[in-house]
Amino acid sequence: MNILSVASEVYPLVKTGGLADVVGALPAALLPHGIRTRTLVPGYPAVLHKLKKKKVVGGIDNLFGHPATVLAAEFDGLDLLVLDQPALYERDGGPYLDPTGRDYPDNFRRFAALSLAAAEIAGDNVVPGWKPDIVHVHDWQAALTPVYMRFGSARTMPTVLTIHNIAFQGQFGASVFPELSLPPEAFSMPFVEYYGDVAFLKGGLQTATAITTVSPSYAHEILTPEFGMGMEGLLASRATDLTGIVNGIDVDTWNPETDPHIARNYGPTAIKQRAANRRVLEERFALDPGPGPIFCVISRLTWQKGMDLLAEVADDIVALGGKLIVLGSGDIALEGSLMAAASRHRGRIGMVTGYDEPLSHLMQAGSDAILIPSRFEPCGLTQLYGLRYGCVPVVARTGGLTDTVIDANEAALSARVATGFQFRPVTADGLRLAIRRAMRAYSEPKVWARLQNQGMKSDVSWARSAERYASLYSGLLAKG
């Protein structure tokens, strides 16, 4: 079986968040099921620079006013197709934002082009000798693909749309519609029209054969007004086509026994060796050495991620005898609040703004617990990395956090199955209580060691999830 995966980012070539990790890891997990994946991504400068060996395998004469080339390459086990159109992708900023941090004004065109190219490839019009059996698209940036396919030569080919975060919908003014190379009837309720605007994700939700999201709990949550972000009615109408499949992680990249980014490798039977990583972290974040748990945060600094709640409880962590380290960037006000907390508590709170992949590995390997107070979280990956590294997750009870962390209540502790701490409601008081629970457990070394060991034994790989995707694909082809 051949799958065309379509996404705006893929690890390790280009990454702004968990989407890239998922798109990069799933193809290898599907191989044992006889499923080969080719991943189509835009030809950003960062992508083209890293691909030393690439060849032209096709082209599109006129893609929104410019010729485009499709390149084939392999990188780190990935079979890639790259849409090379400099007019759209040769930019100095990131995949979505210009150097000043603003959205590119032509993002609608940039990602419509990605979707249209995917539909052309699916229709066997671009890459000679290769055609997918199924097209699997990710998030709003690729969500127009099944819409273009509906009006093109691949209209009968099955499609899967995965929602990684329904809060991001690719909504633009109606004025962009004439530039999308879609027929007039596509600007209607069954396709891309959404309250008078154009919504890329909505179009994909209407036309994809199957819809998945990245955890079972999130699949239920997005059917409600609280979490559906205005799409709950549409999703309810397609509930029989909606499946929640929890994400996994790349357990080769994220492996404390072999990780080159950490100071001391270790495994479940040598967990005390984590102390060497803790010492390096203390130096990196200018923390005072000494007792007390180190809580870490590796996150976008946004309201969704609950970073305002973190800022509110930062003083409490110090008062309780803990330490806090933060890696992230985002909302300027939230950055300022956390930097002010670090200034108030020098030696107890440290912060690095931006994103640093090697440092994120070291933080998982040397911190005692990871805080994830998200108001909503489709799946989350940092808690899975925490489990893998013996960094105990303290998480809000929402979405995939609910599905992947077993709360350390009395029953779970007695049964020795607990792996972390959940809290609800998602408020500052709820987070404070969870931190107090974690501190109490940390004060009992045997209890804490069991939490770490149980987490490290958790299956956070793609194995079971890949099996579910393989079953979904097979079912779609059987319906034929």
Side-chain angles (χ1 to χ4, degrees):
M1 188 189 307
N2 291 317
I3 304 295
L4 175 63
S5 176
V6 189
S8 58
E9 53 188 88
V10 57
Y11 180 83
L13 286 171
V14 57
K15 172 180 174 178
T16 67
L19 166 65
D21 290 319
V22 174
V23 175
L26 185 55
L30 290 169
L31 271 177
H33 300 277
I35 298 171
R36 297 187 61 85
T37 304
R38 299 190 88 170
T39 303
L40 176 68
V41 293
Y44 311 117
V47 171
L48 297 175
H49 177 72
K50 291 176 183 176
L51 299 178
K52 303 303 181 186
K53 294 182 179 180
K54 46 190 178 287
K55 62 179 180 180
V56 176
V57 292
I60 302 172
D61 292 337
N62 186 350
L63 188 63
F64 297 142
H66 300 275
T69 302
V70 177
L71 309 173
E74 292 186 2
F75 187 85
D76 201 31
L78 292 167
D79 184 356
L80 297 165
L81 294 174
V82 179
L83 181 62
D84 185 16
Q85 191 188 56
L88 293 178
Y89 304 122
E90 191 175 301
R91 308 283 171 94
D92 292 333
Y96 319 117
L97 306 178
D98 68 21
T100 69
R102 296 187 177 91
D103 287 337
Y104 292 114
D106 61 345
N107 270 346
F108 73 91
R109 188 181 301 111
R110 298 170 75 233
F111 297 110
L114 177 68
S115 295
L116 179 54
E120 293 290 309
I121 292 169
D124 202 21
N125 297 325
V126 178
V127 182
W130 186 82
K131 186 175 183 178
D133 299 296
I134 293 173
V135 177
H136 186 164
V137 305
H138 298 267
D139 266 356
W140 76 263
Q141 295 91 344
L144 282 189
T145 304
V147 180
Y148 284 118
M149 290 172 64
R150 181 69 64 89
F151 293 103
S153 60
R155 62 180 59 89
T156 61
M157 185 178 293
T159 54
V160 178
L161 167 60
T162 295
I163 306 166
H164 295 262
N165 190 336
I166 202 167
F168 302 106
Q169 300 178 358
Q171 189 168 343
F172 304 93
S175 61
V176 310
F177 181 78
E179 299 189 50
L180 298 181
S181 297
L182 284 167
E185 60 264 34
F187 190 64
S188 61
M189 280 294 292
F191 298 104
V192 304
E193 189 272 333
Y194 184 66
Y195 293 102
D197 286 340
V198 171
F200 284 34
L201 183 64
K202 188 255 187 181
L205 294 175
Q206 289 278 27
T207 54
T209 314
I211 302 165
T212 70
T213 192
V214 289
S215 71
S217 287
Y218 193 60
H220 293 297
E221 289 175 350
I222 60 177
L223 298 176
T224 69
E226 183 180 1
F227 295 100
M229 303 294 173
M231 295 288 177
E232 61 274 5
L234 168 55
L235 287 165
S237 73
R238 300 217 57 197
T240 56
D241 301 314
L242 173 64
T243 306
I245 303 176
V246 72
N247 283 340
I249 64 172
D250 185 332
V251 292
D252 293 324
T253 298
W254 290 90
N255 183 355
E257 295 184 275
T258 59
D259 194 332
H261 301 306
I262 67 179
R264 178 74 61 84
N265 294 117
Y266 61 94
T269 60
I271 203 164
K272 289 183 179 179
Q273 294 189 35
R274 295 181 86 252
N277 297 305
R278 176 188 172 106
R279 289 192 291 271
V280 175
L281 271 186
E282 288 173 335
E283 293 179 7
R284 179 69 176 81
F285 284 89
L287 298 182
D288 297 331
I294 297 177
F295 293 90
C296 76
V297 172
I298 305 166
S299 178
R300 296 196 313 276
L301 305 182
T302 64
W303 179 88
Q304 179 217 322
K305 297 294 185 180
M307 291 298 104
D308 55 318
L309 307 180
L310 177 70
E312 194 170 338
V313 305
D315 295 338
D316 299 85
I317 293 173
V318 174
L320 290 167
K323 304 173 188 178
L324 174 65
I325 56 176
V326 179
L327 171 64
S329 62
D331 184 276
I332 297 300
L334 292 176
E335 283 187 23
S337 296
L338 292 168
M339 291 176 71
S343 180
R344 287 196 304 274
H345 300 287
R346 296 186 187 279
R348 305 295 294 181
I349 298 179
M351 182 173 177
V352 172
T353 56
Y355 184 70
D356 183 324
E357 183 81 13
L359 180 57
S360 72
H361 286 240
L362 180 64
M363 291 171 71
Q364 296 279 15
S367 302
D368 299 291
I370 182 165
L371 300 177
I372 310 174
S374 302
R375 287 183 167 87
F376 61 94
E377 193 63 68
C379 179
L381 295 177
T382 53
Q383 83 278 11
L384 302 181
Y385 302 145
L387 293 170
R388 179 83 164 142
Y389 279 63
C391 184
V392 177
V394 180
V395 304
R397 187 177 295 133
T398 186
L401 302 176
T402 305
D403 296 332
T404 54
V405 176
I406 300 174
D407 182 65
N409 56 54
E410 288 299 324
L413 285 170
S414 296
R416 299 194 174 192
V417 297
T419 60
F421 301 87
Q422 295 185 6
F423 68 93
R424 194 158 184 90
V426 187
T427 61
D429 285 339
L431 177 56
R432 283 191 189 97
L433 179 58
I435 290 169
R436 288 180 181 274
R437 293 176 61 207
M439 295 285 288
R440 283 198 297 271
Y442 184 81
S443 70
E444 300 182 55
K446 289 185 179 179
V447 172
W448 195 259
R450 282 201 297 270
L451 285 170
Q452 290 178 300
N453 276 285
Q454 190 62 37
M456 294 182 76
K457 289 192 296 184
S458 300
D459 182 4
V460 294
S461 75
W462 272 103
R464 285 182 295 179
S465 299
E467 187 174 343
R468 293 198 64 192
Y469 273 114
S471 177
L472 174 67
Y473 294 155
S474 297
L476 293 176
L477 289 180
K479 290 178 182 178

